[in-house]
């Protein structure tokens, strides 16, 4: 895995005393730092570079999240009808990622290609606490890996040191840290008390080599997962994106075999490769000759490009079949899919998002 | 700067250092020169006893073609640098007409190579002047235009293709570009069908690890070189061929659906790309008898094995 090192740091004075900011400054005492309450000036100059996204990531902006700090996952709020969702909440602690996954949707955010860390952690935790005090659900999953990798920067921000202890005393909520990294050193020093799940997005080793640039390799991810398991964390896997390479059946069979012979995952999610409107051409430009985009994609009603339905169903059915061969009890769900696909691939449609949430959490964490 | 009528024989006609035009259409200009003569003097600079042309290449060509021996000219001061002369040439051309993308690319290349303008200054100072945005991506775009095969450059200009389509050509090497050329010459693509063609063949070559010439040899012979088809007929046939190759599973399903539908004698439709699991049917009737006929047809169809197969498909 490639470690992150910015060429310049911009700090919003309103968060200069945050423990997150302090950890960053301690990690990079030698890197030039600018205090500014404005957007970093580099944003205006990025189009002078051949890959503004790559250049932007060299600049780290430590600021406060002025938007909604905790929100429901995109699937719950999608305009797409009949999308089955798992009532997932997202804590936006960071934006962007120094890894380079060919399919990463963050590449579309060309107006803010910087690495952004939101350092108003006290406010974030207070918002989570308010949400939990108000909710009747006792199975809430809150994740940080939506607009960034949950752990890729943990060694420089120390977010986990704030989040894991906070969730360890919660009764109604679980924290999910979703990652493709192996940066678990902070986690190993903490006691999650069963309330934190560390989830790895994973694919067959050759797919990781081809499509997940700069991330931890397959074996590095699994070794990190083993260490976390030993330290008391629950482990989950996201087989997302499922990629229909010519040898996908054999590749995913081997992958599932590897995962289930070494772990008893808290849950597994499956999500077939999908693209937003412009991502396909952005990816083709940034990664010339990538074979990722050559599958049979069609436009679906939400404006995304997906494998056509029959192929998605075959992917899900087959991989789910491999999973149930090992363990019928492992909660397995589809990410961002509609009822038809659920029914045809999994043989069932969850009755509501709360029901799915309960099924995922209670089966795995009780 | 002074004005003079100068003899064409004193102009270095093959010195094209300051020329910026590409594929200029001289028809209208020729008519105008024939009627009114050269209204706007050309610009030249002295080179000893001779003159080097700075702007007015097209006017001069028309004058020659019309057999004129003298043209009106502004002779630029010798204090002007080559770069300043070139700026004047660009400025004059730019205010008289719209530059095509190859002309912009050529201008950028001359500024950089002939007049040693740094990339930084080029992008910040000259790009706004040329009406393009000051970014590295735009700089690369114009660099890539110049390495396109000349036949393609001409096609791009004549078809007035938008940037997002021109960019698709950059994915192909010269050899591949030459393979594509006969398709462009013999098929009437719209902007969107051309883009689709370029994207699909590129993706298929990646997927099948095949060269563009291997990939396109079949349609080249069966469609492009088929004397029995005209340019408009060729496009839908080519598109269907491409779709079958690019989306073999989806095309297979669609073909099967059409076949089953024909056997059932019902106006059935699938949802777009089979994304939902419903079959749609739209019928029209004028009276009860016609409706009853439809009901009868539907009953018959529902008993056929093809009907079950159709339901399984969705
Ligand atoms: S790890 Fe996730 S956030 Fe980072 S580049 Fe890959 S897909 Fe994007």
């Amino acid at each position: 895995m490639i470690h992150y090192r910015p060429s310049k740091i911009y700090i919003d004075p309103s968060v200069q005393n945050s423990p997150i900011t302090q950890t960053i400054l301690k990690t990079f005492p030698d890197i030039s730092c600018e205090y500014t309450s404005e957007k970093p000036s580099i944003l205006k100059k990025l189009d002078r570079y051949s890959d503004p996204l790559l250049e932007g990531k060299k600049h780290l902006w430590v600021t406060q999240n002025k938007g909604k700090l905790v929100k429901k996952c995109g699937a719950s709020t999608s305009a797409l009808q009949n999308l089955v969702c798992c009532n997932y909440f997202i804590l936006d602690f960071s934006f962007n990622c120094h890894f380079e996954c060919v399919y990463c949707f963050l590449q579309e955010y060309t107006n803010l290609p910087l690495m952004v860390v939101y350092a108003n952690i006290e406010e974030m935790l207070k918002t989570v606490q308010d949400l939990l005090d108000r909710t009747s659900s006792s199975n809430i999953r809150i994740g940080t890996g939506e607009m960034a990798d949950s752990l890729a920067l943990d060694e420089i921000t120390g977010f986990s040191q704030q989040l894991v202890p906070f969730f360890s005393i919660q009764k109604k909520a679980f924290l999910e840290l979703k990652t493709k990294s192996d940066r678990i050193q902070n986690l190993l020093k903490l006691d999650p008390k069963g309330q934190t799940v560390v989830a790895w997005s994973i694919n067959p080793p050759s797919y990781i080599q081809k499509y997940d640039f700069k991330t931890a390799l397959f074996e590095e991810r699994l070794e990190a997962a083993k260490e976390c398991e030993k330290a008391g964390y629950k482990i989950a896997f996201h087989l997302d994106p499922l990629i229909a390479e010519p040898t996908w059946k054999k590749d995913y069979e081997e992958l599932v075999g590897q995962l289930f012979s070494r772990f008893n995952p808290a849950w597994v999610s499956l999500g077939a490769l999908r693209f937003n409107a412009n991502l396909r051409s952005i990816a083709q430009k940034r990664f010339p000759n990538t074979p990722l985009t050559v599958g049979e994609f069609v436009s679906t009603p939400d404006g995304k490009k997906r494998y056509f339905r029959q192929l998605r169903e075959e992917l899900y059915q087959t991989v789910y079949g491999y999973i149930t061969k090992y363990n019928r009890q492992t909660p397995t769900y589809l990410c961002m899919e509609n009822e038809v696909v659920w029914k045809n691939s999994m043989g069932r449609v969850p009755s509501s998002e709360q029901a799915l949430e309960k099924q995922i959490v209670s089966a795995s964490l009780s | 700067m002074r004005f003079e009528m100068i003899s064409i024989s004193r102009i270095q006609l093959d010195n094209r250092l300051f020329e910026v035009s590409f594929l200029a259409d001289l028809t209208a200009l020729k008519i105008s020169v024939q009627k009114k003569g050269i209204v706007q003097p050309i610009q030249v600079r002295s080179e000893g006893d001779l003159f080097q042309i700075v702007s007015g290449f097209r006017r001069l060509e028309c004058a020659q073609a019309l057999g004129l021996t003298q043209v009106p000219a502004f002779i630029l001061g010798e204090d002007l640098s080559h770069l300043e002369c070139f700026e004047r040439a660009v400025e004059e051309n730019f205010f008289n007409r719209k530059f095509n993308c190859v002309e912009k690319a050529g201008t950028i290349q001359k500024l950089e190579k002939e007049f040693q303008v740094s990339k930084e200054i080029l992008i910040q100072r000259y790009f706004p002047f040329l009406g393009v945005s000051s970014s590295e991506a735009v700089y690369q775009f114009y660099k890539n235009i110049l390495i396109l095969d000349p036949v393609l450059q001409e096609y791009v200009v004549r078809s007035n293709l938008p940037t997002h389509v021109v960019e698709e050509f950059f994915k192909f090497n010269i050899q591949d570009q030459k393979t594509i050329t006969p398709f462009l010459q013999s098929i009437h693509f719209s902007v969107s069908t051309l883009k689709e063609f370029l994207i699909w063949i590129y993706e298929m070559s990646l997927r099948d690890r095949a060269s563009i010439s291997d990939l396109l040899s079949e349609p080249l012979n069966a469609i492009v070189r088929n004397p029995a088809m005209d340019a408009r007929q060729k496009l839908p046939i080519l598109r269907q061929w491409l779709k079958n190759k690019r989306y073999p599973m989806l095309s297979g399903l669609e073909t099967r659906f059409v076949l089953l539908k024909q056997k059932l004698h019902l106006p059935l439709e699938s949802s777009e790309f089979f994304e939902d699991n419903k079959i749609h049917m739209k019928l029209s009737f004028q009276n009860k008898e016609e409706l009853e006929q439809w009901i009868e047809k539907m009953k018959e169809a529902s008993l056929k094995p093809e009907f079950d197969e159709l339901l399984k498909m969705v």
Side-chain angles (χ1 to χ4, degrees):
Chain A
M1 176 192 138
I2 305 289
H3 295 245
Y4 182 62
R5 188 178 161 80
S7 60
K8 183 158 182 185
I9 304 173
Y10 303 83
I11 294 177
D12 180 342
S14 71
V15 292
Q16 65 182 351
N17 297 323
S18 149
I20 305 296
T21 314
Q22 291 307 313
T23 311
I24 292 172
L25 290 175
K26 247 182 247 157
T27 316
F28 300 119
D30 54 331
I31 287 176
S32 117
C33 216
E34 183 181 322
Y35 287 81
T36 170
S37 43
E38 303 293 313
K39 275 191 176 175
S41 51
I42 182 70
L43 275 171
K44 291 195 191 112
K45 297 182 196 147
L46 286 174
D47 59 5
R48 291 186 197 166
Y49 296 88
S50 57
D51 186 347
L53 296 179
L54 190 64
E55 184 60 32
K57 291 182 187 189
K58 295 179 189 161
H59 300 262
L60 174 63
W61 184 23
V62 187
T63 183
Q64 55 171 310
N65 187 347
K66 295 180 182 134
K68 219 170 168 194
L69 300 174
V70 182
K71 54 186 186 241
K72 278 193 109 178
C73 145
S76 341
T77 51
S78 165
L80 192 62
Q81 283 192 343
N82 302 328
L83 203 68
V84 179
C85 131
C86 59
N87 204 25
Y88 193 77
F89 284 85
I90 292 157
L91 179 63
D92 268 339
F93 76 122
S94 203
F95 175 81
N96 215 346
C97 177
H98 76 289
F99 295 152
E100 292 288 355
C101 299
V102 177
Y103 47 79
C104 180
F105 76 103
L106 294 174
Q107 295 172 98
E108 280 197 305
Y109 290 79
T110 46
N111 55 345
L112 188 60
L114 309 182
M115 294 291 291
V116 186
V117 166
Y118 300 121
N120 47 332
I121 180 74
E122 280 99 358
E123 212 184 327
M124 282 180 212
L125 296 182
K126 185 175 175 313
T127 313
V128 175
Q129 192 61 62
D130 288 348
L131 171 81
L132 299 180
D133 293 345
R134 272 185 284 118
T135 187
S136 56
S137 168
S138 53
N139 302 303
I140 289 189
R141 284 189 305 155
I142 299 181
T144 56
E146 174 74 0
M147 304 305 276
D149 183 286
S150 294
L151 293 175
L153 297 189
D154 201 55
E155 61 188 336
I156 70 162
T157 62
F159 261 113
S160 63
Q161 286 164 314
Q162 309 289 327
L163 292 173
V164 174
F166 174 86
F167 278 90
S168 71
I169 52 168
Q170 298 301 329
K171 300 271 179 300
K172 290 177 170 178
F174 301 91
L175 171 67
E176 183 185 21
L177 299 170
K178 209 188 274 184
T179 189
K180 288 187 183 124
S181 81
D182 57 3
R183 299 294 85 200
I184 52 159
Q185 289 67 13
N186 284 336
L187 297 182
L188 301 182
K189 294 179 223 149
L190 304 164
D191 179 3
K193 300 207 163 61
Q195 295 301 113
T196 296
V197 178
V198 193
W200 269 268
S201 299
I202 198 108
N203 250 322
S206 63
Y207 298 18
I208 290 177
Q209 269 176 4
K210 259 196 285 191
Y211 303 124
D212 294 3
F213 297 113
K214 300 188 180 176
T215 65
L217 300 174
F218 178 80
E219 209 34 62
E220 291 170 340
R221 292 185 205 182
L222 293 198
E223 275 166 24
K226 209 21 114 193
E227 291 290 302
C228 284
E229 192 182 55
K230 282 190 213 150
Y233 292 88
K234 303 271 184 189
I235 304 302
F237 293 107
H238 296 283
L239 274 58
D240 191 346
L242 291 172
I243 303 172
E245 297 272 295
T247 53
W248 69 266
K249 286 189 182 161
K250 180 179 124 302
D251 299 337
Y252 282 106
E253 186 172 17
E254 280 171 19
L255 172 69
V256 170
Q258 285 266 2
L259 300 181
F260 279 81
S261 61
R262 292 159 78 171
F263 298 92
N264 181 17
W267 58 72
V268 174
S269 80
L270 307 176
L273 179 60
R274 54 212 174 267
F275 296 105
N276 285 332
N278 298 322
L279 187 58
R280 182 179 171 143
S281 58
I282 294 175
Q284 281 182 346
K285 244 185 225 164
R286 297 192 71 225
F287 305 96
N289 300 333
T290 179
L292 188 79
T293 54
V294 303
E296 294 202 33
F297 297 100
V298 296
S299 299
T300 49
D302 58 348
K304 287 196 163 77
K305 298 263 182 205
R306 291 180 156 87
Y307 292 125
F308 74 97
R309 180 169 60 83
Q310 280 79 348
L311 178 55
R312 303 205 304 277
E313 288 174 358
E314 195 190 352
L315 275 163
Y316 295 137
Q317 246 170 27
T318 310
V319 178
Y320 185 48
Y322 298 148
I323 292 171
T324 49
K325 257 203 288 183
Y326 285 92
N327 190 342
R328 301 197 73 82
Q329 311 307 323
T330 306
T332 304
Y333 64 96
L334 305 183
C335 187
M336 301 282 259
E337 277 298 358
N338 61 35
E339 289 178 3
V340 174
V341 176
W342 261 92
K343 179 96 191 4
N344 291 349
S345 329
M346 314 287 282
R348 65 179 205 278
V349 183
S351 55
S352 67
E353 57 184 40
Q354 285 75 17
L356 177 56
E357 171 196 72
K358 194 166 175 206
Q359 188 201 338
I360 295 169
V361 175
S362 53
S364 53
L365 300 177
S366 52
Chain B
M1 184 166 72
R2 63 179 201 278
F3 174 78
E4 242 179 63
M5 285 300 286
I6 59 172
S7 160
I8 292 180
S9 62
R10 289 180 63 204
I11 300 175
Q12 300 170 328
L13 294 170
D14 51 357
N15 188 335
R16 323 235 13 137
L17 180 65
F18 300 118
E19 187 179 26
V20 288
S21 61
F22 175 80
L23 286 187
D25 181 5
L26 299 182
T27 330
L29 187 60
K30 230 185 228 173
I31 295 170
S32 153
V33 172
Q34 197 163 24
K35 273 194 193 154
K36 302 180 196 158
I38 292 177
V39 180
Q40 190 186 356
I42 67 169
Q43 297 188 49
V44 295
R45 60 189 294 280
S46 301
E47 277 271 308
D49 285 344
L50 300 175
F51 296 109
Q52 181 183 19
I53 181 158
V54 173
S55 78
F57 284 88
R58 295 176 322 132
R59 277 162 280 169
L60 202 55
E61 236 170 86
C62 293
Q64 276 186 294
L66 293 167
L68 305 184
T69 53
Q70 286 203 315
V71 287
F74 287 121
I75 300 163
L76 301 177
E78 285 176 13
D79 52 331
L80 284 183
S81 68
H82 274 189
L83 177 59
E84 285 165 325
C85 288
F86 188 61
E87 282 176 358
R88 276 172 173 260
V90 173
E91 205 169 339
E92 197 195 284
N93 274 282
F94 211 72
F95 284 115
N96 286 325
R97 64 195 179 87
K98 210 173 152 238
F99 272 25
N100 62 48
C101 62
V102 177
E103 289 172 332
K104 285 182 187 169
T107 303
I108 291 165
Q109 190 191 43
K110 279 196 172 166
L111 282 166
E112 208 173 14
K113 296 263 155 64
E114 307 281 353
F115 307 113
Q116 281 76 46
V117 174
S118 71
K119 184 172 158 187
E120 179 82 8
I121 293 179
L122 191 64
I123 292 178
Q124 293 315 315
R125 182 169 158 214
Y126 289 93
F127 275 25
F129 180 61
L130 287 170
V132 300
S133 38
S134 297
S135 77
E136 173 68 26
V138 171
Y139 174 78
Q140 284 307 332
F141 173 80
Y142 287 107
K143 285 224 125 172
N144 284 331
I145 292 248
L146 289 180
I147 46 179
L148 278 183
D149 185 69
V151 181
L152 272 191
Q153 287 181 351
E154 191 173 332
Y155 179 82
V156 161
V157 170
R158 292 209 191 282
S159 316
N160 197 15
L161 292 179
T163 309
H164 63 97
V165 181
V166 178
E167 278 175 337
E168 295 300 331
F169 285 114
F170 301 158
K171 292 177 184 160
F172 302 100
N173 62 30
I174 288 285
Q175 180 61 37
D176 294 341
Q177 290 172 21
K178 287 194 190 302
T179 308
I180 293 168
T181 305
F183 286 81
L184 305 178
Q185 287 164 338
S186 73
I187 290 179
H188 281 178
F189 287 105
S190 64
V191 168
S192 61
T193 54
L194 174 62
K195 185 166 177 176
E196 178 188 82
F197 168 72
L198 296 172
I199 291 177
W200 284 4
I201 60 170
Y202 170 72
E203 289 178 345
M204 281 192 283
S205 76
L206 278 183
R207 182 193 64 192
D208 305 343
R209 295 198 179 92
S211 70
I212 293 292
S213 63
D214 283 348
L215 197 75
L216 291 181
S217 68
E218 187 189 327
L220 183 68
N221 293 319
I223 304 170
V224 172
R225 293 190 179 138
N226 186 341
M229 285 186 238
D230 70 26
R232 287 196 193 282
Q233 290 170 320
K234 287 174 184 174
L235 180 60
I237 295 169
L238 176 69
R239 284 190 76 199
Q240 192 54 53
W241 182 89
L242 282 169
K243 191 176 172 197
N244 293 345
K245 293 276 175 196
R246 175 64 187 86
Y247 293 97
M249 285 189 273
L250 182 63
S251 302
L253 269 180
E254 284 173 350
T255 312
R256 188 77 195 135
F257 188 92
V258 170
L259 205 81
L260 293 172
K261 164 182 156 168
Q262 281 163 356
K263 288 199 173 153
L264 294 171
H265 305 292
L266 288 176
L268 304 172
E269 294 301 330
S270 65
S271 61
E272 198 177 18
F273 311 122
F274 300 95
E275 186 55 28
D276 78 20
N277 59 346
K278 294 190 177 66
I279 297 171
H280 306 257
M281 185 165 59
K282 192 173 171 186
L283 12 117
S284 55
F285 51 87
Q286 284 178 316
N287 50 44
K288 213 173 161 190
E289 286 71 43
E290 280 183 20
L291 174 64
E292 277 166 0
Q293 280 169 12
W294 276 120
I295 294 172
E296 207 41 52
K297 271 191 187 176
M298 281 190 259
K299 265 192 199 157
E300 264 174 43
S302 71
L303 298 173
K304 290 186 178 170
E306 286 86 357
F307 189 74
D308 294 328
E309 194 187 330
L310 206 65
L311 289 177
K312 251 192 224 148
M313 268 177 74
V314 296

